[in-house]
Amino acid sequence: MSESIKSVKETKMENVFECEYEDGTTRLCTKNLAPGYSVYGERLIKYNGIEYREWNAFRSKLAGAILKGLKENPVKKGVKVLYLGAASGTTPSHVSDIVEKEGKVYGVEFSPRVVRELILVAQRRPNLFPILADARFPQSYMPLIENVDVLYVDIAQPDQTDIAIYNAKIFLKEGGSLLLAIKARSIDVTKNPEEIFKEEASKLERSNFDVKQVINLDPYDKDHAMVLARFKG
Amino acid sequence: MMKLYLVEHAIGTFAFDEDGKLVDYVLNPKDIGKLVEILLNHEKGEPFPSTLELISKLKPEEVVVENEAEIPKLKVKASATLNHKAAKMFRSSLVKFALDSKFASSEGELYSFLYQLSFEYTRRKLRTAAQKRDLLAIQAVRAMDDIDKSINLFSERLREWYSLHFPELDKLVEDHETYAKIVSTFGYRDNITLEGLKSINIDEKQAKKILDAASKSIGADISEDDINSIKQLSNAILSLYNIRNSLSDYVESVMKEVAPNITALVGANLGARLLSLAGSLEEFAKMPASTIQVLGAEKALFRALRSGGRPPKHGVIFQFPAIHSSPRWQRGKIARALAAKLAIAARVDNYSGRFIGDQLVEQLNKRIEEIKTKYAQPPPRKPQPQAPKQKNFKKGGGGGKKNKGKKGKR
């Protein structure tokens, strides 16, 4: 908190900012929707009367993907997001920052232990809807949500791509985007990660997705990739 | 009638014909507690009551739903298709349907409803996973009390100690946390700067006073060693504040999980305190409202019983804002109303876990409003103040009490 900020600038992506410290290091950050509250111990930055939250790329795969050259971030102001695998709310909190009040984030998470923390985060964010449910059974949360512009999937399960496709068919708008975080090690430990990324990407292609980009998240996350795809409906 | 496509959403059940035209709909209750119940049953394969109502109203030959499990309970010829055309259309223009059906009058209202609903629904599901978590909240709130005591104790010591060096600061800064922060950040009074004071959230006027006092201080000069020991103590105080804050967040999350209704009524802190006095949620749930009303004022209650004096009007529930901020003669009535609602809340929390907090709060507020208007003026003084035995209270059970009620302090 004490370190002074040289500047905070919006990046090419809407509502994603970059701050520069006095010592020349730069970090991603987002405008804090719940001023005064830090979600996972990240630094809060005041600049020109606006509070920003530092976005740690080692903790959040979306930040990692942005730093590794994500071409286009479908998570924008006012957008509706279905977030599968919301966990304790680290990345969802930043997504909630980016979409602002006009946007909505439906955060689905299966483990009660982490939902407890997710609820605490959601408490201060009226655009983040916490839902304790299994993403394999969308029927259970169907009555609570609507169709969305972006499907964000980060659920470290062997069948995660199928779960993503299944949910996309129900909830993703035509032309909507999918951000799929692939953890190679939870799909098959024995195979080469790059191979797995390719396989999962082609699985998407076969299910009516246009795969735009596959980003290896190294060094932020080992053996992880982020896939950006467009849903053709 | 023909074949109907049904879409079940939290806002209600909507029926479409084969061309995707809206035929009719039945809205769900706006009561969040009831709706959560409906959703939880829906997951187990129970159709929405609104669905059944719609079917009996329209008497279709055949329906298509999305949830296979509910087919046998629909009592008509039915089949299930996930994400059928009508469902897709409904979900892509949810806002429009909600507004057209007058479920909500604005987009903002719809979303704040859905937000509360998903929150409540998730909490209810969490609750089933929670066991004996009330005991955790109780211990945490007790720990918070211990920490408060320690903070006070240490802060008194710190003030005495640091005053050897900078006596004027004691009077200038009332808040213990701010005081400790100043000591920790600056140490020697000569190190205090305007910028530094501002960075720990002291306003300019106050900061200038402190600076002024520092430059003219009559305190003794002390060595590096001395100041370091003092700093250690003040650092300990600051870390106690940190623990206290995180405990308070923790208590809040646990309380919302194990006792959502109590929490809705009086907040997490006071709720946990009540549980702590009762011993557990279960024991609290078994208490009559009259006991709840004076929980925490046992000493005053038993004194009153022994001497035949006036019983206390409230125990810890005195901390409830509507009680301590109200005029004296209204407090007893409000305390009674609150205790009654708490008794209901506790029983629901312990035995069913349904969320009825909204209604309870609403009813309580209504009652408080009533008390405020009905008893706006202080009652006339009773003629003989010292007479211990009085029989004829006329209206509303002891409306004319004077200022003798003992505040229940813990």
Side-chain angles (χ1 to χ4, degrees):
Chain A
M1 246 180 279
S2 50
E3 221 161 314
S4 46
I5 302 296
K6 225 197 256 161
S7 71
V8 176
K9 276 183 291 206
E10 190 162 3
T11 60
K12 276 177 285 175
M13 282 154 195
E14 190 177 21
N15 264 346
V16 178
F17 298 85
E18 195 178 65
C19 65
E20 191 179 355
Y21 290 105
E22 279 300 341
D23 60 4
T25 53
T26 59
R27 293 283 148 78
L28 286 182
C29 54
T30 56
K31 237 189 271 172
N32 196 354
L33 193 73
Y37 292 98
S38 145
V39 172
Y40 50 100
E42 76 282 14
R43 205 195 295 236
L44 300 179
I45 300 158
K46 266 258 164 73
Y47 185 75
N48 278 350
I50 298 171
E51 189 176 284
Y52 297 86
R53 293 163 53 230
E54 197 176 285
W55 195 359
N56 188 334
F58 288 95
R59 303 274 306 260
S60 167
K61 281 163 215 146
L62 183 54
I66 290 174
L67 290 178
K68 291 275 295 193
L70 184 69
K71 274 190 258 171
E72 184 218 331
N73 184 12
V75 181
K76 294 182 182 121
K77 188 175 166 179
V79 144
K80 286 171 189 152
V81 184
L82 172 57
Y83 195 121
L84 304 180
S88 52
T90 308
T91 308
S93 71
H94 286 288
V95 173
S96 136
D97 279 351
I98 297 172
V99 302
E100 291 192 37
K101 279 192 216 79
E102 296 82 3
K104 310 286 168 246
V105 184
Y106 297 99
V108 176
E109 170 59 47
F110 180 50
S111 151
R113 177 66 199 79
V114 290
V115 169
R116 254 186 241 150
E117 284 161 51
L118 176 66
I119 273 198
L120 288 183
V121 177
Q123 220 167 39
R124 319 219 182 271
R125 296 171 177 275
N127 65 0
L128 177 54
F129 302 65
I131 297 171
L132 172 57
D134 189 340
R136 284 196 183 87
F137 303 103
Q139 291 94 326
S140 65
Y141 46 90
M142 213 176 237
L144 283 168
I145 68 177
E146 59 185 313
N147 280 12
V148 295
D149 310 288
V150 179
L151 177 64
Y152 188 104
V153 183
D154 183 2
I155 40 176
Q157 291 289 324
D159 55 345
Q160 52 165 307
T161 310
D162 300 316
I163 297 175
I165 293 169
Y166 189 34
N167 275 277
K169 280 189 180 145
I170 303 176
F171 300 114
L172 193 54
K173 280 183 192 160
E174 212 182 297
S177 300
L178 168 73
L179 278 165
L180 175 67
I182 299 177
K183 182 181 178 188
R185 293 291 174 228
S186 66
I187 291 177
D188 191 334
V189 255
T190 56
K191 274 195 204 146
N192 176 4
E194 286 298 331
E195 235 165 76
I196 294 177
F197 299 153
K198 247 182 236 152
E199 264 169 41
E200 302 299 304
S202 67
K203 215 188 262 176
L204 288 176
E205 295 270 4
R206 267 178 275 134
S207 306
N208 237 356
F209 279 94
D210 232 346
V211 175
K212 292 238 179 105
Q213 211 181 353
V214 180
I215 304 168
N216 194 325
L217 294 180
D218 195 69
Y220 302 111
D221 278 287
K222 266 231 155 103
D223 303 333
H224 281 252
M226 180 69 81
V227 178
L228 172 66
R230 207 183 69 94
F231 187 47
K232 290 188 281 193
Chain B
M1 262 310 261
M2 39 6 177
K3 195 170 171 183
L4 283 183
Y5 289 80
L6 299 182
V7 187
E8 294 178 302
H9 191 270
I11 67 171
T13 305
F14 291 71
F16 296 85
D17 65 15
E18 272 165 273
D19 306 321
K21 235 183 78 214
L22 181 65
V23 179
D24 201 356
Y25 58 85
V26 175
L27 296 181
N28 274 331
K30 264 192 168 178
D31 177 323
I32 290 195
K34 275 191 202 133
L35 197 44
V36 168
E37 204 89 341
I38 292 174
L39 286 174
L40 290 171
N41 288 333
H42 185 249
E43 242 173 272
K44 291 182 209 131
E46 204 67 48
F48 282 7
S50 54
T51 307
L52 297 175
E53 200 186 320
L54 198 60
I55 289 176
S56 73
K57 197 166 135 195
L58 298 174
K59 303 204 171 44
E61 271 164 24
E62 193 186 343
V63 294
V64 182
V65 290
E66 289 189 278
N67 190 352
E68 203 173 336
E70 65 186 55
I71 290 179
K73 305 220 164 112
L74 291 173
K75 297 195 183 97
V76 275
K77 196 176 157 211
S79 62
T81 317
L82 191 62
N83 203 28
H84 52 67
K85 222 168 58 194
K88 194 154 204 142
M89 187 180 68
F90 178 86
R91 271 192 295 271
S92 52
S93 31
L94 172 68
V95 177
K96 186 179 160 286
F97 281 105
L99 296 184
D100 288 354
S101 65
K102 304 239 159 38
F103 181 87
S105 59
S106 71
E107 194 178 331
E109 190 194 318
L110 170 69
Y111 281 115
S112 89
F113 178 82
L114 288 178
Y115 173 76
Q116 283 174 41
L117 180 66
S118 61
F119 213 93
E120 222 24 76
Y121 164 83
T122 295
R123 252 209 11 235
R124 267 294 291 286
K125 286 181 101 178
L126 268 188
R127 213 192 99 90
T128 36
Q131 253 187 344
K132 290 275 170 206
R133 308 244 308 149
D134 56 329
L135 300 180
L136 293 170
I138 289 170
Q139 291 302 334
V141 84
R142 288 183 186 163
M144 273 167 69
D145 288 341
D146 292 345
I147 288 175
D148 282 342
K149 274 188 217 152
S150 311
I151 286 179
N152 276 327
L153 189 69
F154 289 156
S155 293
E156 286 308 315
R157 177 61 56 222
L158 177 71
R159 279 167 187 269
E160 291 275 321
W161 196 357
Y162 191 63
S163 286
L164 294 172
H165 174 58
F166 187 5
E168 294 81 359
L169 188 66
D170 188 24
K171 284 269 150 52
L172 284 171
V173 180
E174 290 235 315
D175 179 46
H176 287 333
E177 193 174 0
T178 318
Y179 191 95
K181 262 189 199 156
I182 294 178
V183 178
S184 282
T185 355
F186 305 111
Y188 284 125
R189 60 169 186 249
D190 293 341
N191 291 344
I192 301 178
T193 60
L194 190 64
E195 278 309 301
L197 285 174
K198 273 195 204 156
S199 75
I200 49 177
N201 283 331
I202 295 173
D203 65 70
E204 181 134 6
K205 222 172 104 195
Q206 179 77 357
K208 281 196 173 134
K209 270 191 205 162
I210 294 171
L211 272 179
D212 188 46
S215 62
K216 294 182 196 148
S217 178
I218 55 166
D221 288 333
I222 54 178
S223 78
E224 188 93 34
D225 257 11
D226 301 330
I227 202 84
N228 282 340
S229 296
I230 297 176
K231 264 189 175 176
Q232 261 179 7
L233 179 64
S234 74
N235 288 340
I237 294 172
L238 291 178
S239 62
L240 282 177
Y241 272 108
N242 267 334
I243 300 173
R244 197 191 182 285
N245 287 340
S246 56
L247 277 181
S248 154
D249 283 352
Y250 170 73
V251 168
E252 185 158 347
S253 73
V254 179
M255 282 299 289
K256 283 204 160 167
E257 215 176 296
V258 300
N261 294 305
I262 295 176
T263 311
L265 272 175
V266 295
N269 250 316
L270 180 49
R273 238 166 224 128
L274 285 164
L275 296 193
S276 157
L277 287 165
S280 72
L281 176 60
E282 196 179 344
E283 280 180 57
F284 188 67
K286 289 177 182 161
M287 282 181 173
S290 54
T291 306
I292 293 174
Q293 190 185 343
V294 293
L295 262 185
E298 286 80 5
K299 216 171 129 192
L301 175 68
F302 289 118
R303 187 190 326 113
L305 288 175
R306 221 175 315 133
S307 66
R310 294 177 201 285
K313 294 200 278 282
H314 30 58
V316 269
I317 61 168
F318 179 71
Q319 290 172 6
F320 187 63
I323 296 182
H324 69 243
S325 66
S326 290
R328 228 184 312 106
W329 63 89
Q330 294 173 358
R331 288 178 188 166
K333 296 181 204 309
I334 299 176
R336 204 171 332 113
L338 174 61
K341 292 298 171 220
L342 272 171
I344 298 171
R347 286 161 212 185
V348 176
D349 278 339
N350 192 49
Y351 297 109
S352 99
R354 242 182 66 192
F355 184 72
I356 54 164
D358 290 348
Q359 288 125 280
L360 289 177
V361 170
E362 196 183 305
Q363 289 163 5
L364 178 66
N365 287 340
K366 225 165 115 192
R367 174 66 188 140
I368 291 175
E369 208 44 52
E370 202 179 303
I371 293 169
K372 297 248 165 200
T373 49
K374 210 166 163 192
Y375 304 96
Q377 295 306 315
R381 286 193 157 255
K382 281 273 165 62
Q384 68 276 62
Q386 271 321 49
K389 275 177 193 170
Q390 282 185 326
K391 273 183 186 168
N392 49 339
F393 290 125
K394 266 188 184 162
K395 46 181 169 179
K401 279 186 183 164
K402 287 195 306 307
N403 54 352
K404 279 288 158 55
K406 294 285 180 294
K407 262 193 290 192
K409 283 234 178 129
R410 19 179 307 104

